Amino acid sequence: MCQFFSFVGDGHGNYLYASWADRKALLKTKKSEEADSHTSILTRAKIPPKNQERWNKYEYNPLTKAFVVDHGVDGHDHEAARNWAEALDWSAVVPALRIKPIINSLLIERKGRPSKTEIARLKKWASVWDSVRDSVWDSVWDSVRDSVGDSVWDSVWDSVRDSVWDSVWDSVRDSVWDSVRDSVGDSVGDSVLDSVLDSVGASVWAYISSFFAIKYKFDFSSAITLWEAGLVASFDGKTWRLHSGKSAEIVYEWTPRRRATK
């Protein structure tokens, strides 16, 4: 499957790609995956199949700046194609997409404890988590795919996940386990780490939502603001924590009071 953003060039400074009008039309027909198909781009432009091999086929990721020549014609200036893509007005391609650097929260250097405002944001996120739980993924995924299509979602998700997921999850997992392992058994420990995984994943998905200017069912702003401030929230089923730094040091803990049951 071709990735967002795919485009083609004839080697003479002319480039073709799926505009937002093209993408909206494909969304309506449930064929959004065709938006970034090189063959579909050429076919929509009425380039005869016998001539399509004369066109260069490229992919460019506007978030990571990665540029790939999928099929290059000898003698053509591929660096010119990269320069063209880097200067492209992305509001004409996917208006809802926010082009911004990908932040690994744990690589942000912080000093001191979380502020009162940041602690309030954690408690707000905990409230959202109580309402959303495992559907954070579903809410973000469904909203984005319905709004911009599969290839755009896949590209942003893959880019953010590859940049932050392994390092953040591994660091937070180890930090929480170091904190609780003496007080829980192995069987309980597995449950704790599963809960931590779910909560950290929810923060990542909430952060991914910030790359799209669309309306979501839930308010993810508290988790996004914490993430961009260098704080990752985790929940082990009982206690919420804020982590910061490369080793995901625990800088704040909060155990909500359980509601009395009748």
Side-chain angles (χ1 to χ4, degrees):
M1 177 179 175
C2 293
Q3 302 294 311
F4 175 81
F5 163 74
S6 295
F7 65 105
V8 299
D10 65 356
H12 301 288
N14 300 304
Y15 302 100
L16 302 173
Y17 62 95
S19 67
W20 180 235
D22 295 326
R23 293 174 185 275
K24 285 194 297 183
L26 290 168
L27 277 169
K28 290 180 180 179
T29 59
K30 307 297 183 181
K31 295 180 179 180
S32 65
E33 72 280 356
E34 294 184 8
D36 289 291
S37 161
H38 295 115
T39 299
S40 294
I41 292 170
L42 289 163
T43 300
R44 285 195 298 273
K46 299 183 174 13
I47 305 299
K50 65 180 181 179
N51 294 337
Q52 292 184 6
E53 288 301 305
R54 301 176 187 175
W55 287 70
N56 302 291
K57 300 174 179 65
Y58 303 111
E59 290 180 2
Y60 176 76
N61 186 320
L63 297 182
T64 65
K65 313 304 181 186
F67 174 73
V68 176
V69 181
D70 276 349
H71 168 77
V73 178
D74 288 343
H76 287 183
D77 186 353
H78 305 310
E79 192 61 29
R82 178 200 290 270
N83 294 337
W84 174 85
E86 290 177 345
L88 191 61
D89 177 7
W90 294 101
S91 66
V93 184
V94 182
L97 179 63
R98 291 170 171 159
I99 306 298
K100 60 179 185 175
I102 298 172
I103 295 173
N104 184 324
S105 187
L106 296 183
L107 297 183
I108 295 176
E109 294 186 6
R110 289 179 53 94
K111 293 183 179 179
R113 306 281 290 176
S115 67
K116 291 182 179 180
T117 299
E118 289 168 335
I119 291 171
R121 288 188 177 121
L122 171 65
K123 294 181 178 181
K124 182 179 179 181
W125 175 236
S127 177
V128 174
W129 171 256
D130 282 342
S131 300
V132 184
R133 294 286 177 174
D134 295 338
S135 61
V136 175
W137 161 266
D138 292 335
S139 177
V140 176
W141 187 49
D142 289 343
S143 298
V144 172
R145 289 175 70 246
D146 288 347
S147 299
V148 302
D150 291 327
S151 61
V152 178
W153 160 258
D154 288 342
S155 180
V156 174
W157 161 242
D158 288 345
S159 299
V160 177
R161 180 193 59 199
D162 291 348
S163 298
V164 309
W165 178 250
D166 286 343
S167 62
V168 170
W169 162 234
D170 288 345
S171 298
V172 172
R173 177 198 60 199
D174 293 345
S175 177
V176 172
W177 184 240
D178 287 345
S179 176
V180 305
R181 63 183 170 187
D182 291 337
S183 60
V184 302
D186 290 341
S187 60
V188 177
D190 289 341
S191 176
V192 166
L193 293 181
D194 285 345
S195 181
V196 171
L197 171 62
D198 290 342
S199 62
V200 173
S203 288
V204 174
W205 301 327
Y207 175 56
I208 290 173
S209 76
S210 72
F211 287 83
F212 300 95
I214 61 179
K215 187 174 182 179
Y216 298 98
K217 183 178 179 180
F218 301 98
D219 180 5
F220 303 124
S221 60
S222 52
I224 295 166
T225 304
L226 288 171
W227 184 280
E228 293 181 339
L231 293 167
V232 178
S234 74
F235 182 57
D236 66 8
K238 179 182 178 182
T239 299
W240 280 94
R241 297 176 175 85
L242 287 175
H243 304 260
S244 73
K246 293 181 180 179
S247 61
E249 177 188 356
I250 298 170
V251 293
Y252 180 76
E253 290 183 307
W254 168 60
T255 302
R257 292 181 180 179
R258 294 184 178 180
R259 295 180 181 177
T261 57
K262 297 182 179 179

